[in-house]
Amino acid sequence: MKRNILLINPWIYDFAAYDFWLSPVGLLSLAALLRKNGYAVQLIDCLRGSSASTTLPRPGKQPKRFSSGHGHFFKEPLQKPLPLRSIPRKYNRYGIPAEEFRQNLQQICRPELILVTSMMTYWYPAVHDVIGLLKEEFPGVPIILGGNYVTLCPDHAQSAGANLLVRGEGESQLPKILKDFLGHDSAFQVDALDLDSYPYPAYDLYGKREQISILTSKGCPFHCSYCASHLINPRYRRRNPIKVVEEIAYWHEEHGINHISFYDDALLIDRETMAIPMLDEIIRRKLSCQFHCPNGLHLREVTGDLAKRMFKAGFRTIRFGFETADVRRQMDSGGKVTNEDLERAVAYLLEAGYAPQDIGVYLLCGLPGQSAREVLETINYVKNCQAKPVITEYSPIPGTVLWEASVQSSPYPIAAEPLFHNNTLLPCQSSILSFDMYEHLKGQTKVTSQQDCRRLD
Ligand code: B12
């Protein structure tokens, strides 16, 4: 009999959550590695349910889903955690009903080990709740907790109740975990320097799916002051582009997947040796998939040739990281992009066939010391370039260059309470960029590029 390991992707507890092609790709990679080592793996994804279970009928209105794999989650109202009580917004549990999770746990075989993942630091209450329930259902079974919450807030994560916390990439640490907890030597191990030695994430554990998320690289060569990428993956590593396409072809041909989203921090970097050969191979194989890039792409890498290939290969959802049109802040935050890069890239993308509303440009709103006027000028700048501004609220992250300034400028105790890292709160709001001003700015992203924006000052 195979030894049994349970993997859990916890719920999201938040004011808002949308399934913008969310997948626990790290946990699924660990699942694949466990299977390679002869384990039986059971997955409960609290956002989607368990393929091994009979799903309970869900009460109330059913969430709207789209055939390309994004959409709303099922949600249930939750009482706000104490630190958030004064926030005048509803708080929800996103994912399967709590009762369904408990029933899933009761239907599966008792595992010998449980691996729990975590994503946003401010989603930790769901992680803590899940661990509490696991302990009730499977007393004595060791629980290992990893993921971004642990990597970025290791001290806070001590309170989660896990038997072991694992920071950073799990694949290379798994053999020691298996040895320590189960006394088992791993016959198959990955080479951390070679991402192509990692097995494909175990998406088949879900049964039928419309979409999968993949990575062509880990880490990022830039060190932007607001970003945690280098804390999560200290080394920038890339896969072989042809092997990436082999993986895409595998999911498309063997599992009928037509929608692929890339989770890379730096998908277009080193385009001559990475993105261009990958796109050429997708085109050569005539893979009729649609590709989505919910995480920002680097504008500087977009050339005429690259834009044409992206369009031809089927890149449909494209988002770029621009953050601000303020030249000084661009330089101070790491120098990854200039205003000229944006203008040039958008011109190439339009020429390649994309419409202005296809070219989503992320702008950061609520950076320490940032004014509403700066954000408004950035919105107008993006619109004048014929692209679509997309506001993303700044989420302060411990260990990043901007962290100390964020602690100083935030009206919330962000250093003591990760719940206040939540972008929805606009954690570093101030008198020059208040929540009301932000609401107004969001409205300004919607008006057409022909219209003039009202000045905020
Ligand atoms: C893809 C991505 C998204 C996707 C969705 C991701 C998802 N599944 O939820 C999208 C584009 C939607 C998104 C949105 C946002 N994101 Co985001 N996102 C990422 C990104 C780039 C990759 C995450 C990922 O899947 N990595 C790849 C896999 C392989 O890694 P992994 O799951 O962590 O797993 C590995 C390890 O953690 C470990 N591990 C994981 N689990 C376990 C369990 C055990 C037991 C063990 C041993 C090990 C282990 O091993 C795994 C395999 O190597 C990260 C940055 C990064 N590089 O991590 C930012 C990141 C997580 N996002 C961030 C932010 C700020 C946001 C936004 C708030 C941005 C904004 N202002 O709008 C929004 C919020 C979304 C929301 N409210 O729903 C921040 C974190 C913020 C925080 N406070 O936690 C990050 C770190 C980026 C940054 N700026 O620094 N994001």
Side-chain angles (χ1 to χ4, degrees), residues 26 116-117 120-121 168-171 218 228 263 265 295 393 395 397:
V116 179
T117 191
M120 305 298 159
T121 55
E169 192 175 276
E171 289 87 342
K218 288 193 177 193
Y263 269 9
D265 286 318
N295 205 22
E393 311 79 12
S395 166
I397 307 174

Side-chain angles (χ1 to χ4, degrees), residues 15 17 59 61 63 72-77 92-96:
F15 300 102
K61 202 170 143 215
H72 292 276
F73 291 116
F74 181 78
K75 67 175 180 190
E76 287 181 315
N92 296 301
R93 175 193 297 112
Y94 293 90
I96 60 174

Side-chain angles (χ1 to χ4, degrees), residues 14 16-18 20 22-23 25-27 29-30 115-123 144-148 151-152 166 168-171 177 215 218 226-229 232-233 263 265 294-295 392-397 421 423:
D14 207 330
Y18 184 78
F20 199 32
L22 259 57
S23 297
V25 53
L27 191 69
S29 175
L30 299 180
L115 307 188
V116 179
T117 191
S118 61
M119 181 50 93
M120 305 298 159
T121 55
Y122 50 87
W123 289 346
I144 321 294
L145 175 63
N148 282 344
T151 303
L152 299 171
V166 177
E169 192 175 276
E171 289 87 342
I177 295 170
L215 292 160
K218 288 193 177 193
Y226 45 80
C227 183
S229 179
I232 294 165
N233 285 293
Y263 269 9
D265 286 318
N295 205 22
T392 56
E393 311 79 12
Y394 168 61
S395 166
I397 307 174
H421 304 170
N423 63 312

Side-chain angles (χ1 to χ4, degrees), residues 58-292:
R58 294 181 187 161
K61 202 170 143 215
Q62 297 311 301
K64 189 167 162 56
R65 303 282 312 172
F66 295 86
S67 58
S68 59
H70 64 101
H72 292 276
F73 291 116
F74 181 78
K75 67 175 180 190
E76 287 181 315
L78 264 192
Q79 198 177 42
K80 276 175 269 193
L82 204 55
L84 300 178
R85 288 283 153 85
S86 63
I87 308 295
R89 284 195 61 171
K90 291 189 174 136
Y91 199 70
N92 296 301
R93 175 193 297 112
Y94 293 90
I96 60 174
E99 197 194 333
E100 183 173 326
F101 178 60
R102 204 180 266 279
Q103 202 187 62
N104 283 174
L105 293 180
Q106 285 161 0
Q107 282 169 345
I108 60 172
C109 316
R110 183 182 162 88
E112 289 188 54
L113 191 66
I114 305 176
L115 307 188
V116 179
T117 191
S118 61
M119 181 50 93
M120 305 298 159
T121 55
Y122 50 87
W123 289 346
Y124 78 81
V127 174
H128 289 209
D129 278 5
V130 154
I131 291 177
L133 288 165
L134 288 165
K135 284 179 155 176
E136 280 174 30
E137 291 296 332
F138 300 121
V141 177
I143 300 174
I144 321 294
L145 175 63
N148 282 344
Y149 160 56
V150 180
T151 303
L152 299 171
C153 297
D155 295 336
H156 191 276
Q158 299 283 352
S159 57
N163 297 78
L164 178 73
L165 299 176
V166 177
R167 295 181 75 183
E169 192 175 276
E171 289 87 342
S172 44
Q173 303 183 69
L174 205 53
K176 181 167 182 338
I177 295 170
L178 296 173
K179 182 76 181 165
D180 290 351
F181 285 88
L182 303 177
H184 182 227
D185 290 315
S186 298
F188 179 86
Q189 298 194 18
V190 299
D191 171 0
L193 295 175
D194 175 13
L195 292 181
D196 290 308
S197 71
Y198 291 43
Y200 298 164
Y203 283 106
D204 54 287
L205 286 170
Y206 287 97
K208 184 93 189 91
R209 271 183 79 99
E210 311 88 359
Q211 168 277 336
I212 61 152
S213 308
I214 64 170
L215 292 160
T216 76
S217 62
K218 288 193 177 193
C220 180
F222 289 95
H223 283 82
C224 298
S225 56
Y226 45 80
C227 183
S229 179
H230 63 289
L231 302 171
I232 294 165
N233 285 293
R235 276 168 309 171
Y236 171 54
R237 291 163 290 162
R238 293 179 342 201
R239 294 177 60 187
N240 175 322
I242 305 302
K243 296 218 161 122
V244 173
V245 184
E246 277 167 18
E247 178 176 355
I248 295 169
Y250 165 77
W251 291 114
H252 179 57
E253 286 155 13
E254 309 284 323
H255 295 268
I257 302 283
N258 295 322
H259 293 273
I260 310 280
S261 45
F262 290 99
Y263 269 9
D264 294 59
D265 286 318
L267 181 67
L268 301 184
I269 298 293
D270 296 334
R271 59 175 184 266
E272 296 299 334
T273 52
M274 192 66 215
I276 290 187
M278 181 180 86
L279 294 166
D280 284 346
E281 184 66 6
I282 292 171
I283 294 165
R284 190 188 69 76
R285 286 185 179 232
K286 297 191 176 64
L287 290 175
S288 57
C289 295
Q290 290 193 4
F291 299 96
H292 309 284

Side-chain angles (χ1 to χ4, degrees), residues 318-350:
I318 50 169
R319 297 275 189 275
F320 294 89
F322 180 54
E323 326 310 356
T324 177
D326 182 286
V327 173
R328 195 186 174 94
R329 197 184 295 280
Q330 285 171 349
M331 285 186 325
D332 289 351
S333 62
K336 78 169 176 188
V337 67
T338 63
N339 294 344
E340 294 70 40
D341 292 329
L342 174 70
E343 284 177 32
R344 200 180 43 243
V346 173
Y348 285 137
L349 291 161
L350 292 170

